[in-house]
Amino acid sequence: MIYVRNFTDIDDKIIKRANEEGVDYKTIAERYIGEFNTDMGRLGLEKPTIEPKATDHIAEMIRLISTLIEKGYAYQAEGNVFFSVENLGAMENFRREN
């Protein structure tokens, strides 16, 4: 079995904290990832096989989001992308296609 646990290593909160501390966002992300892993270890939880970070997969996320928009499963509004609730049932077909 492959156990995957991903990390969102960049977002508005991480960027804000990095700016407040005058450090790179990676410094903040690595700190929190390290603290999280320490906590999980103290709880005796198994380490994942793979721990991908969001920043390592930006291109793939952009392609996926673009495809969702093109197929009508998502839409852009005010600089954000949202799932189209009208097409939630049709998402089953998208999952099978991709």
Side-chain angles (χ1 to χ4, degrees):
M1 175 172 56
I2 297 175
Y3 170 25
V4 179
R5 177 174 60 207
N6 67 299
F7 287 108
T8 300
D9 60 334
I10 190 163
D11 64 14
D12 292 340
K13 292 178 188 176
I14 292 171
I15 293 168
K16 181 179 182 220
R17 177 61 56 95
N19 288 335
E20 290 170 355
E21 294 186 19
V23 297
D24 187 84
Y25 79 90
K26 292 178 184 178
T27 301
I28 301 299
E30 289 302 322
R31 179 189 314 153
Y32 288 128
I33 290 169
E35 290 174 6
F36 177 83
N37 285 329
T38 297
D39 291 345
M40 296 301 103
R42 287 182 181 147
L43 292 170
L45 299 176
E46 185 176 337
K47 290 189 124 199
T49 310
I50 304 168
E51 289 184 315
K53 296 176 185 170
T55 54
D56 294 336
H57 300 278
I58 299 292
E60 294 100 315
M61 288 188 276
I62 291 170
R63 281 194 302 272
L64 176 62
I65 292 166
S66 295
T67 300
L68 288 169
I69 292 169
E70 287 168 17
K71 294 188 177 224
Y73 300 126
Y75 63 95
Q76 295 181 40
E78 298 178 23
N80 297 295
V81 176
F82 300 95
F83 282 105
S84 175
V85 292
E86 291 89 20
N87 294 320
L88 282 177
M91 282 294 293
E92 186 64 31
N93 293 330
F94 178 78
R95 289 189 352 227
R96 286 190 189 116
E97 293 170 10
N98 296 286

